[in-house]
Amino acid sequence: MSTSRIIRLGLIGAGRMGSFHGLTAARHIPGACLAAIADPTPGQAARLAAELDVQKVYADPQQLLDDPDIDAVLIAAPARSHAELVISAARAGKSVYCEKPMAITLDEADRAIAAAADARVTLQVGFNRRFARSFRTAHLDVVAGRIGTPQLLRSLTRDPALNNPAASPQWVIFLETLIHDFDTLRYLNPGAEAVEVFVMADALIAPAYKDKGFLDTAVVTIRFDNGAIATAEANFQAVYGYDVRGEVFGSAGMLTMGNVNDSDLLRYLANGVQADTQRMDTDLLRDAYVAELNHFVSCVRSGEKPLASGEDARAALAIARACIESFQLGKPVRVQGAHS
C-alpha cells in the first residue's frame, strides 16, 4: 500500500469504547482518517458522526464492510459479535483492528485468524498494555536479559466501579477483563506459553448474582512452560480508582509497572498525604490506546505483523477458557494446546 495515501478507516460500534477509538482515528492518527461509522443502535452512529464530522453513517456493519472506499475497520462492537465481524471484514478485504476479546471460543478464534490469513489483511487485537510505555519497556528489558530468567510474574486489573451485574455476560471476568492480564503475562514472559491454570473466584461485590453465573473477584495461578509461575487477579470495584499493574521477578532483579495516580502531585496536608487517581481506562491508558491505533495503521501500510496479533489473542483466550473450566471443576486445568 502507498506510504503517502490516506488510510480510510471505518468504525463498527459507537458506544463508549467505539467513541473513544473514533475520536482517536479522526484526530490523532497522522495519515489516516475516520471515513464511516456503523452501529445498529438507532441514532448512535449519527451522533458520533456529527461530533467527529464523518460523512458516512450505516446502521448495518455489513454496509460499511461493503463500502469500497474503506481500507480498514476498527471493531468496537459487543464482544460476542467480534469474531464474526472479523471474518466478515477479512472476507471484504479490509484490514482489522478488533477490541479484545477477538473471540469467545477457540474455534471462533481459529476461524478469524484463518480468514485474515486467507485475505492477506492485517489483524490486530486491542491489548493496549503492550503499548503502554512502562509495560513495553519492561518487555524489552526481559528480552534483553536485564532481570535474568523470569520466575514470578503478576498482573492485575481492578475496575473502579461495578457496572450492572445483571447485564454482564457470563464469564466476563475471564473473557473480557482478565484476558488483558493473560496477554500481559505472556508479553512479560516472551517466548513462553501457559500450560496450566488454577482459579479461585467469587461474587464478593454482588453476591446475589453468583447463582446467575456472575463473578466479580478472581485470582488465577498460571504455570508457564519455562517454569515461571504467574498470578493474575481482577476485581470490579476498587473504590480508589482504576488500577492496572504488572510485575516480573527474575533471577537477576525485578521490574514493576503501573500506577493508579493521576499525576505525580502529592498533597501533604494536616490529615495526611493525598493524591488524585484515575477513574477511567481511557484516561489511565490514553497514550497506549492512541499508540495502538497508530501502530495498526502503520502495519496496514507496511504489511508487518502487529505487536498484538490474532495468534496472541488466541493464546490469551486459551488461558481464559481453561480458567472457566478450572472454576467449574475446582481444580487445576491444562491449557488447550499447551505443549509441555
Side-chain angles (χ1 to χ4, degrees):
M1 184 171 285
S2 164
T3 56
S4 58
R5 189 169 73 80
I6 296 289
I7 303 292
R8 295 174 63 81
L9 301 170
L11 173 68
I12 298 175
R16 183 184 75 87
M17 204 64 243
S19 296
F20 183 82
H21 285 322
L23 177 65
T24 301
R27 307 270 163 81
H28 301 295
I29 308 180
C33 71
L34 183 61
I37 303 172
D39 193 308
T41 306
Q44 192 95 299
R47 172 197 58 77
L48 186 60
E51 189 181 312
L52 299 177
D53 197 26
V54 173
Q55 302 308 311
K56 293 184 176 181
V57 173
Y58 299 108
D60 182 356
Q62 189 60 47
Q63 292 175 299
L64 184 150
L65 297 177
D66 291 339
D67 186 334
D69 291 337
I70 301 300
D71 301 306
V73 295
L74 312 175
I75 296 173
R80 278 20 184 204
S81 65
H82 286 180
E84 291 306 323
L85 286 169
V86 170
I87 292 165
S88 297
R91 287 176 179 164
K94 315 295 188 194
S95 288
V96 184
Y97 168 89
C98 181
E99 258 308 325
K100 56 77 202 169
M102 179 185 72
I104 298 301
T105 68
L106 294 176
D107 176 64
E108 280 184 346
D110 289 336
R111 288 169 51 228
I113 292 166
D118 290 347
R120 298 185 177 180
V121 296
T122 298
L123 173 57
Q124 181 177 328
V125 181
F127 290 127
N128 52 57
R129 285 173 218 181
R130 289 176 177 249
F131 299 89
R133 185 176 174 186
S134 60
F135 285 85
R136 176 75 181 149
T137 304
H139 164 82
L140 295 173
D141 278 3
V142 176
V143 171
R146 295 186 73 175
I147 58 143
T149 304
Q151 295 171 342
L152 292 169
L153 300 97
R154 183 178 183 224
S155 180
L156 67 85
T157 302
R158 296 175 186 162
D159 291 342
L162 177 64
N163 290 325
N164 177 14
S168 294
Q170 193 177 28
W171 310 123
V172 67
I173 198 165
F174 302 122
L175 295 169
E176 297 185 41
T177 300
L178 281 163
I179 197 94
H180 271 303
D181 300 276
F182 302 150
D183 180 71
T184 297
L185 292 168
R186 290 185 66 248
Y187 186 57
L188 295 175
N189 193 15
E193 293 295 349
V195 293
E196 186 180 59
V197 305
F198 178 60
V199 170
M200 294 185 75
D202 209 335
L204 301 181
I205 305 160
Y209 288 88
K210 186 179 181 182
D211 62 356
K212 298 176 176 66
F214 177 76
L215 301 168
D216 54 39
T217 306
V219 175
V220 181
T221 308
I222 304 170
R223 184 181 296 279
F224 283 87
D225 59 7
N226 66 343
I229 299 170
T231 55
E233 67 166 78
N235 181 282
F236 287 159
Q237 191 151 292
V239 296
Y240 54 84
Y242 186 63
D243 190 358
V244 168
R245 283 176 282 144
E247 181 179 292
V248 189
F249 172 88
S251 57
M254 180 176 73
L255 305 167
T256 68
M257 58 236 74
N259 192 330
V260 73
N261 287 2
D262 179 53
S263 73
D264 57 10
L265 171 67
L266 292 175
R267 297 183 184 91
Y268 294 81
L269 306 172
N271 60 347
V273 181
Q274 188 263 337
D276 295 329
T277 57
Q278 298 281 15
R279 303 286 158 154
M280 295 285 288
D281 50 0
T282 47
D283 291 329
L284 184 70
L285 295 162
R286 181 190 178 279
D287 291 349
Y289 280 118
V290 172
E292 68 180 350
L293 290 194
N294 275 275
H295 176 71
F296 171 63
V297 168
S298 174
C299 290
V300 172
R301 283 193 193 285
S302 68
E304 288 179 42
K305 194 177 185 74
L307 285 174
S309 67
E311 289 80 4
D312 291 318
R314 189 199 190 279
L317 178 63
I319 300 172
R321 298 302 317 186
C323 285
I324 294 169
E325 191 180 345
S326 173
F327 176 77
Q328 291 174 319
L329 298 176
K331 65 181 185 181
V333 166
R334 289 190 63 73
V335 177
Q336 188 172 325
H339 53 77
S340 175

